[in-house]
Amino acid sequence: KGDTIFYDELSHASIKDGIRLSLAEKFSFKHNDLEDIRKKIIKNRSGNVFVAIESLYSMDGDYAPQAELVALARELNFYLIVDEAHTTAWYGKNGKGWAIESGFEKKFLIRNYTFGKGMGCHGAFVAADAKIIDYMINFSRPFIYTTAPPIHQILVAKMHHDFIKNNIQLLDNLNDTIKNFNSIVKFKNKQVQHSPIQTIIIPGNENVIKVSQKMLLHGFDVRPVLSPTVKIGEERLRICLHASNTMQEIKAFALGIRNFT
């Protein structure tokens, strides 16, 4: 309370809910728009100022402008918080994520990581200095008043982490899959992203549902994302690539998209 949080308009719903629980003043800014961040902070800052972003955005599959945000934080004196949910377990050395790979991890006040997504299990954790961790343990009501994770959940997360370290070739396989997908799947409304999250815009809820259902019959579990989850006219197929996807599967997917759209 008394502080101010600015967040990207495309932030995940969980980020927005967390901000609401904080009692701080809150303002959204245009997606990855540094000038809009600057204007909003200068006009609305109060108390400590925090800017919450995602390293990789879950619906568009694009990245935040990390270096530019770090420079802006230094200039305008605000704290950065980053959610690494979609870069955990695949981006950078040993899948340690976006901030560590870029060498900017110390520039972020708080980094959130997941045990889901690429880790394949459940839960999440916070990386920050000891003072912040102690504060959260003692004052974060959602943490204090929830059930502690069972020991098997911790062990599964550790085993998955060790598995990734011992099978680094899977990260290379996934990066190759991303390159192959972008080179083979051509579609006028496809957004080319260098991440496992790929999107094809198919305006209209009914239209994108029909394509999704046809792709499912064709052997591909590709989920439609409908408005109001995304803006009207930006309904889409959201494609999540995996290290195990083969060239044959990618070519079959491309053929299906051409036939059903």
mmCIF file with all atom_site columns, all heavy atoms in Angstrom, residues 143-158:
data_model
loop_
_atom_site.group_PDB
_atom_site.id
_atom_site.type_symbol
_atom_site.label_atom_id
_atom_site.label_alt_id
_atom_site.label_comp_id
_atom_site.label_asym_id
_atom_site.label_entity_id
_atom_site.label_seq_id
_atom_site.pdbx_PDB_ins_code
_atom_site.Cartn_x
_atom_site.Cartn_y
_atom_site.Cartn_z
_atom_site.occupancy
_atom_site.B_iso_or_equiv
_atom_site.pdbx_formal_charge
_atom_site.auth_seq_id
_atom_site.auth_comp_id
_atom_site.auth_asym_id
_atom_site.auth_atom_id
_atom_site.pdbx_PDB_model_num
ATOM 1   N N   . PHE A 1 143 ? 0.874  -17.298 0.735   1.00 0.00 ? 143 PHE A N   1
ATOM 2   C CA  . PHE A 1 143 ? 1.901  -18.301 1.023   1.00 0.00 ? 143 PHE A CA  1
ATOM 3   C C   . PHE A 1 143 ? 1.705  -18.887 2.422   1.00 0.00 ? 143 PHE A C   1
ATOM 4   O O   . PHE A 1 143 ? 1.755  -20.106 2.622   1.00 0.00 ? 143 PHE A O   1
ATOM 5   C CB  . PHE A 1 143 ? 3.289  -17.674 0.909   1.00 0.00 ? 143 PHE A CB  1
ATOM 6   C CG  . PHE A 1 143 ? 4.411  -18.605 1.300   1.00 0.00 ? 143 PHE A CG  1
ATOM 7   C CD1 . PHE A 1 143 ? 4.845  -19.590 0.435   1.00 0.00 ? 143 PHE A CD1 1
ATOM 8   C CD2 . PHE A 1 143 ? 5.015  -18.497 2.545   1.00 0.00 ? 143 PHE A CD2 1
ATOM 9   C CE1 . PHE A 1 143 ? 5.862  -20.458 0.805   1.00 0.00 ? 143 PHE A CE1 1
ATOM 10  C CE2 . PHE A 1 143 ? 6.034  -19.357 2.925   1.00 0.00 ? 143 PHE A CE2 1
ATOM 11  C CZ  . PHE A 1 143 ? 6.458  -20.341 2.054   1.00 0.00 ? 143 PHE A CZ  1
ATOM 12  N N   . ILE A 1 144 ? 1.455  -18.024 3.389   1.00 0.00 ? 144 ILE A N   1
ATOM 13  C CA  . ILE A 1 144 ? 1.339  -18.466 4.783   1.00 0.00 ? 144 ILE A CA  1
ATOM 14  C C   . ILE A 1 144 ? 0.146  -19.391 4.976   1.00 0.00 ? 144 ILE A C   1
ATOM 15  O O   . ILE A 1 144 ? 0.232  -20.419 5.657   1.00 0.00 ? 144 ILE A O   1
ATOM 16  C CB  . ILE A 1 144 ? 1.213  -17.241 5.717   1.00 0.00 ? 144 ILE A CB  1
ATOM 17  C CG1 . ILE A 1 144 ? 2.504  -16.415 5.682   1.00 0.00 ? 144 ILE A CG1 1
ATOM 18  C CG2 . ILE A 1 144 ? 0.901  -17.678 7.155   1.00 0.00 ? 144 ILE A CG2 1
ATOM 19  C CD1 . ILE A 1 144 ? 2.365  -15.047 6.334   1.00 0.00 ? 144 ILE A CD1 1
ATOM 20  N N   . TYR A 1 145 ? -0.982 -19.039 4.341   1.00 0.00 ? 145 TYR A N   1
ATOM 21  C CA  . TYR A 1 145 ? -2.220 -19.754 4.609   1.00 0.00 ? 145 TYR A CA  1
ATOM 22  C C   . TYR A 1 145 ? -2.577 -20.743 3.513   1.00 0.00 ? 145 TYR A C   1
ATOM 23  O O   . TYR A 1 145 ? -3.750 -20.945 3.192   1.00 0.00 ? 145 TYR A O   1
ATOM 24  C CB  . TYR A 1 145 ? -3.353 -18.756 4.845   1.00 0.00 ? 145 TYR A CB  1
ATOM 25  C CG  . TYR A 1 145 ? -3.100 -17.895 6.057   1.00 0.00 ? 145 TYR A CG  1
ATOM 26  C CD1 . TYR A 1 145 ? -2.751 -16.558 5.925   1.00 0.00 ? 145 TYR A CD1 1
ATOM 27  C CD2 . TYR A 1 145 ? -3.176 -18.432 7.339   1.00 0.00 ? 145 TYR A CD2 1
ATOM 28  C CE1 . TYR A 1 145 ? -2.494 -15.775 7.029   1.00 0.00 ? 145 TYR A CE1 1
ATOM 29  C CE2 . TYR A 1 145 ? -2.915 -17.657 8.455   1.00 0.00 ? 145 TYR A CE2 1
ATOM 30  C CZ  . TYR A 1 145 ? -2.573 -16.335 8.303   1.00 0.00 ? 145 TYR A CZ  1
ATOM 31  O OH  . TYR A 1 145 ? -2.319 -15.563 9.409   1.00 0.00 ? 145 TYR A OH  1
ATOM 32  N N   . THR A 1 146 ? -1.579 -21.345 2.923   1.00 0.00 ? 146 THR A N   1
ATOM 33  C CA  . THR A 1 146 ? -1.832 -22.423 1.977   1.00 0.00 ? 146 THR A CA  1
ATOM 34  C C   . THR A 1 146 ? -1.109 -23.678 2.447   1.00 0.00 ? 146 THR A C   1
ATOM 35  O O   . THR A 1 146 ? -0.210 -23.616 3.302   1.00 0.00 ? 146 THR A O   1
ATOM 36  C CB  . THR A 1 146 ? -1.373 -22.044 0.555   1.00 0.00 ? 146 THR A CB  1
ATOM 37  O OG1 . THR A 1 146 ? -1.881 -22.982 -0.383  1.00 0.00 ? 146 THR A OG1 1
ATOM 38  C CG2 . THR A 1 146 ? 0.146  -22.033 0.443   1.00 0.00 ? 146 THR A CG2 1
ATOM 39  N N   . THR A 1 147 ? -1.483 -24.810 1.926   1.00 0.00 ? 147 THR A N   1
ATOM 40  C CA  . THR A 1 147 ? -0.868 -26.069 2.340   1.00 0.00 ? 147 THR A CA  1
ATOM 41  C C   . THR A 1 147 ? 0.544  -26.178 1.776   1.00 0.00 ? 147 THR A C   1
ATOM 42  O O   . THR A 1 147 ? 0.776  -25.905 0.601   1.00 0.00 ? 147 THR A O   1
ATOM 43  C CB  . THR A 1 147 ? -1.719 -27.255 1.831   1.00 0.00 ? 147 THR A CB  1
ATOM 44  O OG1 . THR A 1 147 ? -3.057 -27.092 2.291   1.00 0.00 ? 147 THR A OG1 1
ATOM 45  C CG2 . THR A 1 147 ? -1.167 -28.568 2.322   1.00 0.00 ? 147 THR A CG2 1
ATOM 46  N N   . ALA A 1 148 ? 1.477  -26.569 2.605   1.00 0.00 ? 148 ALA A N   1
ATOM 47  C CA  . ALA A 1 148 ? 2.859  -26.743 2.158   1.00 0.00 ? 148 ALA A CA  1
ATOM 48  C C   . ALA A 1 148 ? 2.939  -27.847 1.109   1.00 0.00 ? 148 ALA A C   1
ATOM 49  O O   . ALA A 1 148 ? 2.165  -28.811 1.149   1.00 0.00 ? 148 ALA A O   1
ATOM 50  C CB  . ALA A 1 148 ? 3.755  -27.084 3.335   1.00 0.00 ? 148 ALA A CB  1
ATOM 51  N N   . PRO A 1 149 ? 3.837  -27.722 0.147   1.00 0.00 ? 149 PRO A N   1
ATOM 52  C CA  . PRO A 1 149 ? 3.962  -28.781 -0.872  1.00 0.00 ? 149 PRO A CA  1
ATOM 53  C C   . PRO A 1 149 ? 4.438  -30.077 -0.230  1.00 0.00 ? 149 PRO A C   1
ATOM 54  O O   . PRO A 1 149 ? 5.338  -30.065 0.616   1.00 0.00 ? 149 PRO A O   1
ATOM 55  C CB  . PRO A 1 149 ? 5.003  -28.222 -1.841  1.00 0.00 ? 149 PRO A CB  1
ATOM 56  C CG  . PRO A 1 149 ? 5.761  -27.199 -1.056  1.00 0.00 ? 149 PRO A CG  1
ATOM 57  C CD  . PRO A 1 149 ? 4.796  -26.630 -0.079  1.00 0.00 ? 149 PRO A CD  1
ATOM 58  N N   . PRO A 1 150 ? 3.859  -31.211 -0.608  1.00 0.00 ? 150 PRO A N   1
ATOM 59  C CA  . PRO A 1 150 ? 4.302  -32.499 -0.050  1.00 0.00 ? 150 PRO A CA  1
ATOM 60  C C   . PRO A 1 150 ? 5.708  -32.834 -0.545  1.00 0.00 ? 150 PRO A C   1
ATOM 61  O O   . PRO A 1 150 ? 6.155  -32.356 -1.596  1.00 0.00 ? 150 PRO A O   1
ATOM 62  C CB  . PRO A 1 150 ? 3.265  -33.485 -0.590  1.00 0.00 ? 150 PRO A CB  1
ATOM 63  C CG  . PRO A 1 150 ? 2.745  -32.841 -1.832  1.00 0.00 ? 150 PRO A CG  1
ATOM 64  C CD  . PRO A 1 150 ? 2.777  -31.353 -1.572  1.00 0.00 ? 150 PRO A CD  1
ATOM 65  N N   . ILE A 1 151 ? 6.396  -33.666 0.204   1.00 0.00 ? 151 ILE A N   1
ATOM 66  C CA  . ILE A 1 151 ? 7.791  -33.971 -0.106  1.00 0.00 ? 151 ILE A CA  1
ATOM 67  C C   . ILE A 1 151 ? 7.939  -34.587 -1.496  1.00 0.00 ? 151 ILE A C   1
ATOM 68  O O   . ILE A 1 151 ? 8.916  -34.336 -2.198  1.00 0.00 ? 151 ILE A O   1
ATOM 69  C CB  . ILE A 1 151 ? 8.405  -34.897 0.977   1.00 0.00 ? 151 ILE A CB  1
ATOM 70  C CG1 . ILE A 1 151 ? 9.909  -35.054 0.764   1.00 0.00 ? 151 ILE A CG1 1
ATOM 71  C CG2 . ILE A 1 151 ? 7.709  -36.241 0.995   1.00 0.00 ? 151 ILE A CG2 1
ATOM 72  C CD1 . ILE A 1 151 ? 10.691 -33.775 0.908   1.00 0.00 ? 151 ILE A CD1 1
ATOM 73  N N   . HIS A 1 152 ? 6.929  -35.394 -1.929  1.00 0.00 ? 152 HIS A N   1
ATOM 74  C CA  . HIS A 1 152 ? 7.066  -36.014 -3.250  1.00 0.00 ? 152 HIS A CA  1
ATOM 75  C C   . HIS A 1 152 ? 7.044  -34.965 -4.359  1.00 0.00 ? 152 HIS A C   1
ATOM 76  O O   . HIS A 1 152 ? 7.677  -35.141 -5.398  1.00 0.00 ? 152 HIS A O   1
ATOM 77  C CB  . HIS A 1 152 ? 5.983  -37.080 -3.473  1.00 0.00 ? 152 HIS A CB  1
ATOM 78  C CG  . HIS A 1 152 ? 4.600  -36.556 -3.594  1.00 0.00 ? 152 HIS A CG  1
ATOM 79  N ND1 . HIS A 1 152 ? 3.705  -36.535 -2.545  1.00 0.00 ? 152 HIS A ND1 1
ATOM 80  C CD2 . HIS A 1 152 ? 3.936  -36.014 -4.656  1.00 0.00 ? 152 HIS A CD2 1
ATOM 81  C CE1 . HIS A 1 152 ? 2.571  -36.013 -2.953  1.00 0.00 ? 152 HIS A CE1 1
ATOM 82  N NE2 . HIS A 1 152 ? 2.678  -35.680 -4.217  1.00 0.00 ? 152 HIS A NE2 1
ATOM 83  N N   . GLN A 1 153 ? 6.318  -33.856 -4.133  1.00 0.00 ? 153 GLN A N   1
ATOM 84  C CA  . GLN A 1 153 ? 6.306  -32.789 -5.139  1.00 0.00 ? 153 GLN A CA  1
ATOM 85  C C   . GLN A 1 153 ? 7.688  -32.154 -5.270  1.00 0.00 ? 153 GLN A C   1
ATOM 86  O O   . GLN A 1 153 ? 8.156  -31.868 -6.370  1.00 0.00 ? 153 GLN A O   1
ATOM 87  C CB  . GLN A 1 153 ? 5.280  -31.724 -4.758  1.00 0.00 ? 153 GLN A CB  1
ATOM 88  C CG  . GLN A 1 153 ? 5.193  -30.572 -5.757  1.00 0.00 ? 153 GLN A CG  1
ATOM 89  C CD  . GLN A 1 153 ? 4.179  -29.533 -5.342  1.00 0.00 ? 153 GLN A CD  1
ATOM 90  O OE1 . GLN A 1 153 ? 3.212  -29.834 -4.640  1.00 0.00 ? 153 GLN A OE1 1
ATOM 91  N NE2 . GLN A 1 153 ? 4.387  -28.300 -5.769  1.00 0.00 ? 153 GLN A NE2 1
ATOM 92  N N   . ILE A 1 154 ? 8.357  -31.947 -4.132  1.00 0.00 ? 154 ILE A N   1
ATOM 93  C CA  . ILE A 1 154 ? 9.700  -31.378 -4.143  1.00 0.00 ? 154 ILE A CA  1
ATOM 94  C C   . ILE A 1 154 ? 10.679 -32.327 -4.834  1.00 0.00 ? 154 ILE A C   1
ATOM 95  O O   . ILE A 1 154 ? 11.523 -31.911 -5.636  1.00 0.00 ? 154 ILE A O   1
ATOM 96  C CB  . ILE A 1 154 ? 10.174 -31.077 -2.707  1.00 0.00 ? 154 ILE A CB  1
ATOM 97  C CG1 . ILE A 1 154 ? 9.170  -30.161 -1.989  1.00 0.00 ? 154 ILE A CG1 1
ATOM 98  C CG2 . ILE A 1 154 ? 11.564 -30.464 -2.709  1.00 0.00 ? 154 ILE A CG2 1
ATOM 99  C CD1 . ILE A 1 154 ? 8.968  -28.833 -2.664  1.00 0.00 ? 154 ILE A CD1 1
ATOM 100 N N   . LEU A 1 155 ? 10.563 -33.599 -4.533  1.00 0.00 ? 155 LEU A N   1
ATOM 101 C CA  . LEU A 1 155 ? 11.467 -34.588 -5.129  1.00 0.00 ? 155 LEU A CA  1
ATOM 102 C C   . LEU A 1 155 ? 11.259 -34.699 -6.639  1.00 0.00 ? 155 LEU A C   1
ATOM 103 O O   . LEU A 1 155 ? 12.230 -34.820 -7.398  1.00 0.00 ? 155 LEU A O   1
ATOM 104 C CB  . LEU A 1 155 ? 11.269 -35.950 -4.463  1.00 0.00 ? 155 LEU A CB  1
ATOM 105 C CG  . LEU A 1 155 ? 11.731 -36.050 -3.004  1.00 0.00 ? 155 LEU A CG  1
ATOM 106 C CD1 . LEU A 1 155 ? 11.342 -37.394 -2.398  1.00 0.00 ? 155 LEU A CD1 1
ATOM 107 C CD2 . LEU A 1 155 ? 13.245 -35.846 -2.920  1.00 0.00 ? 155 LEU A CD2 1
ATOM 108 N N   . VAL A 1 156 ? 9.994  -34.660 -7.064  1.00 0.00 ? 156 VAL A N   1
ATOM 109 C CA  . VAL A 1 156 ? 9.722  -34.725 -8.507  1.00 0.00 ? 156 VAL A CA  1
ATOM 110 C C   . VAL A 1 156 ? 10.337 -33.514 -9.206  1.00 0.00 ? 156 VAL A C   1
ATOM 111 O O   . VAL A 1 156 ? 10.970 -33.649 -10.269 1.00 0.00 ? 156 VAL A O   1
ATOM 112 C CB  . VAL A 1 156 ? 8.200  -34.796 -8.766  1.00 0.00 ? 156 VAL A CB  1
ATOM 113 C CG1 . VAL A 1 156 ? 7.896  -34.547 -10.240 1.00 0.00 ? 156 VAL A CG1 1
ATOM 114 C CG2 . VAL A 1 156 ? 7.659  -36.147 -8.346  1.00 0.00 ? 156 VAL A CG2 1
ATOM 115 N N   . ALA A 1 157 ? 10.178 -32.319 -8.626  1.00 0.00 ? 157 ALA A N   1
ATOM 116 C CA  . ALA A 1 157 ? 10.759 -31.112 -9.224  1.00 0.00 ? 157 ALA A CA  1
ATOM 117 C C   . ALA A 1 157 ? 12.279 -31.226 -9.300  1.00 0.00 ? 157 ALA A C   1
ATOM 118 O O   . ALA A 1 157 ? 12.891 -30.856 -10.310 1.00 0.00 ? 157 ALA A O   1
ATOM 119 C CB  . ALA A 1 157 ? 10.356 -29.887 -8.420  1.00 0.00 ? 157 ALA A CB  1
ATOM 120 N N   . LYS A 1 158 ? 12.902 -31.741 -8.242  1.00 0.00 ? 158 LYS A N   1
ATOM 121 C CA  . LYS A 1 158 ? 14.359 -31.904 -8.252  1.00 0.00 ? 158 LYS A CA  1
ATOM 122 C C   . LYS A 1 158 ? 14.796 -32.911 -9.318  1.00 0.00 ? 158 LYS A C   1
ATOM 123 O O   . LYS A 1 158 ? 15.781 -32.690 -10.036 1.00 0.00 ? 158 LYS A O   1
ATOM 124 C CB  . LYS A 1 158 ? 14.857 -32.364 -6.877  1.00 0.00 ? 158 LYS A CB  1
ATOM 125 C CG  . LYS A 1 158 ? 16.386 -32.476 -6.797  1.00 0.00 ? 158 LYS A CG  1
ATOM 126 C CD  . LYS A 1 158 ? 16.854 -32.954 -5.451  1.00 0.00 ? 158 LYS A CD  1
ATOM 127 C CE  . LYS A 1 158 ? 18.381 -32.949 -5.395  1.00 0.00 ? 158 LYS A CE  1
ATOM 128 N NZ  . LYS A 1 158 ? 19.013 -33.720 -6.479  1.00 0.00 ? 158 LYS A NZ  1
#
